[in-house]
Amino acid sequence: MEVYSEKQLGILFVAERLFADKGFHGTSVRDIAQEADVNIAMISYYFGSKEKLLEAVFRYRMNASRSFIQELVQNDTMGPMEKLYALIDRFVNKLLNEQNFQCIMNREQMNRDQSPVKDLIWDLKVEMMGLIQPIVTKAQEDGTFYKDVDVVLLMSTLFGTIHQVMPAKSFIRSEPEFAHMPEDEFREYLKIRVSAYLKKLFKAILTHEF
Amino acid sequence: MEVYSEKQLGILFVAERLFADKGFHGTSVRDIAQEADVNIAMISYYFGSKEKLLEAVFRYRMNASRSFIQELVQNDTMGPMEKLYALIDRFVNKLLNEQNFQCIMNREQMNRDQSPVKDLIWDLKVEMMGLIQPIVTKAQEDGTFYKDVDVVLLMSTLFGTIHQVMPAKSFIRSEPEFAHMPEDEFREYLKIRVSAYLKKLFKAILTHEF
Amino acid sequence: MEVYSEKQLGILFVAERLFADKGFHGTSVRDIAQEADVNIAMISYYFGSKEKLLEAVFRYRMNASRSFIQELVQNDTMGPMEKLYALIDRFVNKLLNEQNFQCIMNREQMNRDQSPVKDLIWDLKVEMMGLIQPIVTKAQEDGTFYKDVDVVLLMSTLFGTIHQVMPAKSFIRSEPEFAHMPEDEFREYLKIRVSAYLKKLFKAILTHEF
Amino acid sequence: MEVYSEKQLGILFVAERLFADKGFHGTSVRDIAQEADVNIAMISYYFGSKEKLLEAVFRYRMNASRSFIQELVQNDTMGPMEKLYALIDRFVNKLLNEQNFQCIMNREQMNRDQSPVKDLIWDLKVEMMGLIQPIVTKAQEDGTFYKDVDVVLLMSTLFGTIHQVMPAKSFIRSEPEFAHMPEDEFREYLKIRVSAYLKKLFKAILTHEF
DNA sequence: GATGAATGAGGATTCATTCAT
DNA sequence: GATGAATGAATCCTCATTCAT
């Protein structure tokens, strides 16, 4: 659990944004150094290499991701649907707040060749499935959820829909009613809309209620 | 509607695969030329530039995409749910058959700066929404579908889930039952599984039936 | 004394213009082929190579240059000053009519390394000096011209001034009185002006009369 | 007024020589880097690009050119003919000392399409004419110089003759009396000869005296 | 710890030319 | 005779990284 100086964090955030905007290979260390207003050599100096910098971005964001589900899962006062609702809320909130990072992860998970970053992504996925699956399975066993539900694909729907929201954002924004809404407000509006939509979807498919 | 020679098509397909595997900027024209077994200069000679080559890949795949919905939409013997089922089947089939291209499109749609390719993607999206929305809207008006359904997000679910299937593929494959299944067979299995899952999802959310 | 087909002449003229505009190395055979509206391969096919094409341009223009002094020199009815006047007229006329070629020759004569083209230029210079010098020398011997005149430098003045007129053209044209004069007319005006100026110069330096 | 390091100056001078010898397009950055004994990347690193390097050569030489006339012009103790004599001396000296640069300038001024370098040349020309013309005009008004003299063409003669001397150099050198003269000595001899010739020319045309 | 200079490998593209037809 | 396709060398430039200070 590395601790970064302010300067290092500056590089990290700039890198995250540029990697999101133009892709890893589309971004040069020069670009990053310039926008972060540091010497080019600093990037290799601080992070070892461009690739290690990407890895650092991942570790930085993932450490936050990791904990936030675990605490949820261990809470035993909530019913399974409540837990899923909370999960959806958190995911929607997190992914829309971390659009740049999600964008990078989205891209990197598609790369064919193995890499430290892909390993990190894989680990996170396994971990997440390991936490969520029991919630559903347990609820299926005690009859709260229907049995014939494809949990793996349901997760794909969860992530896929949220990820798709980002490219679809400009599409939704083109509707006249959002023309003059400020970006922040629009993002909050989106969070609510997406969250409500996903909850409905999950409830329908898992409980046949509406 | 350009017509390509066999050699040009060879370049096109190799480029598609490499762009999918390593991203546009992660792929060099040298890589493409080498794998396609042509002289480096041929790529500029045939397509003008690396970027134009990407564009050519897009136009090539998109021309096919374009027509296949239109004919579906104009068929008036099917009910709206039938139409959506057919749509899901086609999309699942198409996207899983064109994984490489979908992978590229997935990446490119995330780029911040405008480009001819992004314009093509945007146009396709607008066009698709323009064709699908009427089906749902009409069914909502005559009471076949429920009214309070977020069609835009439903499309995000459709595309997002299918796109997410690709990264999730290796996840699903890691289950012991698929360990020795040949790739082709596994893909067909996936098509069926994803298709069935999505149909169920759509039916649940649009009609509350199961 | 090669004879060229119409197509070959077309290439020759286009090449002359482009070599003048952008230099030999700054002009690609593609440019020439495109502007001359012929297949790229034709240039090598007709002329052997790009360099041979330049040579062809030189030979073509120089053959014309060669004869026009000789006939003048052999005319014995004119006095020496008359001969020089006629020479000036012809040179001014020729150089301003063949601006493109003169431009190329100007450039090529400055190249350090030897080349067939430089040899051609050298030969022409030697030849011209061989023809002009006797006129002056003879007139100096019979007292018509002053003796202490640097004939070599006088020739440099003749060529140098005319060559310099081309770059200076746009300078002169920027004067308001020529703003709306058509190019052809302006060129004729220039010829007269330059010719008169040079004659005056020669007369002054050679005879001290005005 | 950029200040260059020794290494940068090395590149500058090598570039100047090679551009003079083989033209801008005929010289590759590889050639320059090799002769200047620096890494190829240094040229872009220091000057931005090949074109910017040419521009740097121009700015470097022109800054020197600029000042040396102004101080002359403002000197009020000299008569107009003295001023012109001093001007001729300086020009001959300068141009023959900076043969490489003059060669480049000669070539570049002939290019058809506009470029930063052509702008620099144009500015210099305008500036020079602006300084020289008043000397002549003033002398014409007070009757020292004859009125019907074409000042613009006289400048063309000045520059043209000097420029023409360079190509003519090898021509003059071929005379037997200079066969064994060392290069430096020959250049000094030339300066004197050209300078004397031009002064005589100017005096003759402007004052009709000898 | 921090940096400007320097490097060599590799980027995409264009070049003049040749080949098969 | 004439041509479109094809080629490999060379173009300028940028890359991520390292070095000396």
Side-chain angles (χ1 to χ4, degrees):
Chain A
M1 192 73 82
E2 195 98 30
V3 173
Y4 292 118
S5 74
E6 207 169 322
K7 223 175 199 176
Q8 288 171 311
L9 274 180
I11 295 173
L12 214 66
F13 293 147
V14 168
E16 186 186 44
R17 179 163 51 79
L18 293 182
F19 288 160
D21 286 357
K22 317 193 283 182
F24 177 73
H25 288 292
T27 305
S28 76
V29 291
R30 268 182 173 73
D31 295 339
I32 299 170
Q34 190 172 341
E35 290 228 15
D37 198 33
V38 298
N39 189 281
I40 322 168
M42 296 314 304
I43 278 144
S44 293
Y45 183 65
Y46 279 144
F47 296 95
S49 72
K50 192 188 171 188
E51 189 125 43
K52 294 264 184 66
L53 170 58
L54 176 65
E55 225 180 301
V57 172
F58 266 83
R59 287 186 199 286
Y60 181 80
R61 290 293 181 203
M62 281 185 157
N63 281 334
S65 293
R66 193 149 277 136
S67 55
F68 101 118
I69 315 182
Q70 285 177 313
E71 62 184 54
L72 180 76
V73 170
Q74 284 151 0
N75 183 331
D76 268 343
T77 67
M78 287 195 272
M81 204 65 222
E82 273 178 304
K83 279 188 180 173
L84 288 188
Y85 277 8
L87 212 74
I88 288 169
D89 275 336
R90 294 196 171 197
F91 264 112
V92 169
N93 201 59
K94 185 166 176 44
L95 268 60
L96 288 182
N97 278 342
E98 291 176 348
Q99 290 184 33
N100 283 332
F101 176 62
Q102 293 305 323
C103 182
I104 300 174
M105 197 161 76
N106 231 357
R107 261 199 264 257
E108 291 302 317
Q109 76 181 347
M110 292 189 289
N111 285 349
R112 197 75 92 209
D113 48 0
Q114 214 55 21
S115 72
V117 159
K118 282 206 67 177
D119 291 342
L120 288 175
I121 297 176
W122 178 264
D123 292 347
L124 187 66
K125 280 187 182 173
V126 170
E127 206 172 334
M128 294 220 163
M129 277 307 290
L131 289 168
I132 296 165
Q133 195 131 28
I135 301 177
V136 178
T137 311
K138 208 177 128 201
Q140 285 176 326
E141 281 167 2
D142 66 21
T144 315
F145 287 175
Y146 274 82
K147 285 226 156 155
D148 56 345
V149 171
D150 198 322
V151 185
V152 177
L153 290 185
L154 199 61
M155 288 302 104
S156 291
T157 292
L158 176 58
F159 294 120
T161 302
I162 303 178
H163 280 148
Q164 210 63 19
V165 164
M166 268 141 45
K169 223 175 64 173
S170 51
F171 193 83
I172 298 174
R173 272 218 100 150
S174 69
E175 294 170 23
E177 45 185 313
F178 305 120
H180 302 298
M181 189 180 286
E183 173 66 18
D184 283 356
E185 193 180 331
F186 180 67
R187 181 159 54 186
E188 292 308 310
Y189 160 77
L190 255 190
K191 280 184 194 171
I192 294 167
R193 179 167 160 183
V194 173
S195 196
Y197 164 79
L198 282 171
K199 284 174 189 170
K200 203 166 169 186
L201 206 66
F202 270 62
K203 191 173 193 184
I205 200 80
L206 286 167
T207 69
H208 300 185
E209 281 174 34
F210 303 91
Chain B
M1 189 73 86
E2 196 96 33
V3 173
Y4 292 118
S5 74
E6 208 168 322
K7 223 172 199 176
Q8 288 170 312
L9 275 179
I11 295 172
L12 214 67
F13 293 147
V14 167
E16 186 185 45
R17 178 162 51 78
L18 292 183
F19 288 160
D21 287 358
K22 314 194 283 182
F24 178 73
H25 289 292
T27 305
S28 76
V29 290
R30 272 187 166 76
D31 295 340
I32 299 170
Q34 190 170 342
E35 290 227 14
D37 198 34
V38 298
N39 189 284
I40 319 173
M42 295 315 300
I43 278 146
S44 291
Y45 181 66
Y46 280 144
F47 297 94
S49 71
K50 191 187 171 190
E51 189 124 41
K52 294 263 188 65
L53 172 56
L54 175 64
E55 224 179 302
V57 172
F58 265 82
R59 288 187 197 283
Y60 182 80
R61 291 293 182 201
M62 281 184 157
N63 281 334
S65 293
R66 195 148 274 139
S67 54
F68 100 117
I69 316 181
Q70 285 176 312
E71 59 183 59
L72 180 74
V73 170
Q74 285 151 358
N75 183 331
D76 269 343
T77 66
M78 288 195 269
M81 204 66 221
E82 272 179 305
K83 277 189 181 172
L84 289 187
Y85 279 8
L87 212 74
I88 289 169
D89 275 336
R90 293 196 173 196
F91 266 113
V92 169
N93 200 58
K94 185 164 176 43
L95 268 63
L96 289 182
N97 279 342
E98 290 177 350
Q99 292 184 32
N100 282 331
F101 176 62
Q102 292 306 322
C103 181
I104 299 174
M105 197 160 77
N106 232 356
R107 264 199 260 258
E108 292 302 318
Q109 76 181 349
M110 292 188 288
N111 285 350
R112 196 77 88 209
D113 46 1
Q114 214 56 17
S115 71
V117 160
K118 282 205 68 178
D119 291 342
L120 288 176
I121 297 176
W122 178 264
D123 291 347
L124 188 66
K125 280 186 183 175
V126 171
E127 205 171 336
M128 294 217 163
M129 277 306 290
L131 290 169
I132 295 165
Q133 197 132 26
I135 301 178
V136 179
T137 310
K138 208 178 130 199
Q140 285 176 324
E141 282 168 1
D142 64 22
T144 316
F145 288 175
Y146 276 82
K147 285 224 156 156
D148 56 345
V149 171
D150 198 322
V151 185
V152 177
L153 289 185
L154 200 60
M155 287 302 105
S156 291
T157 292
L158 176 59
F159 293 121
T161 302
I162 303 178
H163 279 149
Q164 210 64 19
V165 164
M166 266 142 45
K169 221 174 69 172
S170 51
F171 193 84
I172 298 173
R173 269 216 105 149
S174 69
E175 294 170 23
E177 46 184 315
F178 305 120
H180 301 297
M181 190 182 283
E183 173 66 19
D184 283 356
E185 193 180 331
F186 181 67
R187 182 161 55 190
E188 290 310 312
Y189 161 76
L190 256 190
K191 281 184 195 172
I192 294 168
R193 180 167 162 184
V194 173
S195 195
Y197 164 79
L198 282 171
K199 286 175 188 169
K200 205 167 166 187
L201 205 67
F202 270 62
K203 191 173 192 184
I205 200 80
L206 286 168
T207 69
H208 300 182
E209 282 174 33
F210 304 93
Chain C
M1 191 73 82
E2 196 97 30
V3 173
Y4 293 118
S5 73
E6 206 168 323
K7 224 174 199 177
Q8 288 170 310
L9 274 179
I11 295 172
L12 216 66
F13 293 148
V14 168
E16 186 185 45
R17 178 163 50 80
L18 293 183
F19 287 159
D21 286 356
K22 314 193 283 180
F24 177 72
H25 289 291
T27 305
S28 75
V29 290
R30 267 180 174 71
D31 294 340
I32 299 170
Q34 190 172 341
E35 290 228 15
D37 198 33
V38 299
N39 188 282
I40 321 167
M42 295 315 303
I43 279 146
S44 294
Y45 182 65
Y46 279 144
F47 297 94
S49 71
K50 191 187 171 188
E51 189 125 42
K52 294 264 185 65
L53 171 57
L54 175 64
E55 225 180 301
V57 172
F58 265 84
R59 288 187 197 284
Y60 181 81
R61 290 292 181 203
M62 281 185 157
N63 281 334
S65 293
R66 191 148 278 137
S67 54
F68 102 118
I69 314 182
Q70 285 177 312
E71 61 184 57
L72 180 74
V73 171
Q74 286 151 0
N75 184 332
D76 269 343
T77 66
M78 289 194 268
M81 205 65 221
E82 274 179 303
K83 278 189 183 174
L84 288 187
Y85 279 8
L87 211 72
I88 287 169
D89 275 335
R90 294 197 172 196
F91 265 112
V92 169
N93 201 57
K94 184 164 177 43
L95 267 61
L96 288 183
N97 280 341
E98 291 176 352
Q99 292 185 31
N100 284 332
F101 176 63
Q102 293 305 322
C103 182
I104 300 174
M105 198 160 76
N106 232 356
R107 263 200 259 259
E108 291 303 317
Q109 77 181 347
M110 292 189 287
N111 286 349
R112 196 76 89 208
D113 46 0
Q114 214 55 20
S115 72
V117 160
K118 281 205 69 176
D119 292 342
L120 288 175
I121 297 175
W122 179 263
D123 291 348
L124 187 66
K125 281 187 183 173
V126 171
E127 204 172 336
M128 294 217 164
M129 276 307 290
L131 289 168
I132 295 165
Q133 196 130 29
I135 301 178
V136 179
T137 312
K138 207 177 131 202
Q140 286 176 325
E141 283 168 359
D142 66 23
T144 316
F145 289 174
Y146 276 81
K147 284 224 156 157
D148 56 348
V149 171
D150 198 321
V151 186
V152 177
L153 290 185
L154 200 60
M155 287 302 106
S156 290
T157 291
L158 176 58
F159 295 122
T161 302
I162 303 178
H163 280 149
Q164 211 64 18
V165 165
M166 267 142 45
K169 221 174 65 173
S170 51
F171 193 83
I172 298 173
R173 270 219 103 147
S174 70
E175 294 170 22
E177 46 186 311
F178 306 120
H180 302 297
M181 190 180 284
E183 174 66 20
D184 283 357
E185 193 179 333
F186 180 67
R187 183 160 55 189
E188 291 309 311
Y189 160 77
L190 257 189
K191 281 184 194 171
I192 294 168
R193 178 167 163 184
V194 173
S195 196
Y197 165 80
L198 282 170
K199 284 175 188 168
K200 203 168 171 186
L201 205 66
F202 270 62
K203 190 173 194 185
I205 202 80
L206 286 167
T207 69
H208 300 186
E209 283 173 33
F210 304 93
Chain D
M1 190 73 84
E2 196 96 34
V3 172
Y4 293 118
S5 73
E6 208 168 320
K7 221 172 201 176
Q8 287 170 312
L9 275 179
I11 295 172
L12 214 66
F13 293 147
V14 167
E16 186 186 44
R17 179 163 50 80
L18 293 183
F19 287 160
D21 286 357
K22 314 194 284 181
F24 178 73
H25 289 292
T27 305
S28 75
V29 290
R30 271 185 166 76
D31 294 341
I32 300 170
Q34 191 171 341
E35 290 229 14
D37 198 35
V38 298
N39 188 284
I40 318 172
M42 295 315 300
I43 279 147
S44 291
Y45 180 67
Y46 280 143
F47 298 95
S49 71
K50 192 187 170 188
E51 188 124 43
K52 295 263 187 66
L53 172 57
L54 175 65
E55 223 180 302
V57 172
F58 266 82
R59 287 186 197 283
Y60 182 80
R61 292 291 182 204
M62 282 186 157
N63 281 334
S65 293
R66 194 148 275 139
S67 54
F68 102 117
I69 315 182
Q70 284 176 312
E71 60 183 58
L72 180 74
V73 171
Q74 285 150 0
N75 184 331
D76 269 343
T77 67
M78 288 195 272
M81 204 65 222
E82 273 179 302
K83 277 189 183 174
L84 288 188
Y85 278 8
L87 212 73
I88 288 170
D89 275 335
R90 292 196 174 196
F91 265 114
V92 169
N93 201 58
K94 185 165 176 46
L95 268 61
L96 288 182
N97 279 342
E98 290 177 350
Q99 291 184 33
N100 283 333
F101 176 62
Q102 293 305 324
C103 181
I104 300 173
M105 198 160 77
N106 230 357
R107 260 199 266 258
E108 291 304 317
Q109 78 181 347
M110 292 189 288
N111 285 350
R112 196 76 91 209
D113 46 2
Q114 213 57 17
S115 71
V117 159
K118 282 205 66 178
D119 292 342
L120 287 175
I121 297 176
W122 178 264
D123 290 349
L124 188 66
K125 281 186 183 173
V126 170
E127 206 172 334
M128 295 219 163
M129 276 307 288
L131 289 168
I132 296 166
Q133 195 129 29
I135 301 178
V136 179
T137 311
K138 208 178 128 200
Q140 285 176 326
E141 282 167 2
D142 64 24
T144 316
F145 289 174
Y146 275 82
K147 284 226 157 156
D148 56 346
V149 172
D150 198 321
V151 185
V152 177
L153 289 185
L154 199 59
M155 288 302 106
S156 291
T157 292
L158 176 58
F159 294 121
T161 302
I162 304 179
H163 280 148
Q164 211 62 21
V165 164
M166 267 143 42
K169 221 174 68 171
S170 51
F171 192 83
I172 298 173
R173 271 217 102 148
S174 70
E175 293 171 22
E177 45 184 314
F178 306 120
H180 302 297
M181 188 180 286
E183 172 66 20
D184 283 356
E185 193 180 332
F186 180 67
R187 182 161 53 191
E188 291 309 310
Y189 160 76
L190 255 190
K191 281 184 195 173
I192 295 168
R193 179 167 162 185
V194 174
S195 196
Y197 165 78
L198 282 171
K199 285 175 189 169
K200 202 168 173 185
L201 205 65
F202 269 63
K203 190 173 194 186
I205 200 81
L206 286 167
T207 69
H208 299 185
E209 284 174 32
F210 303 91

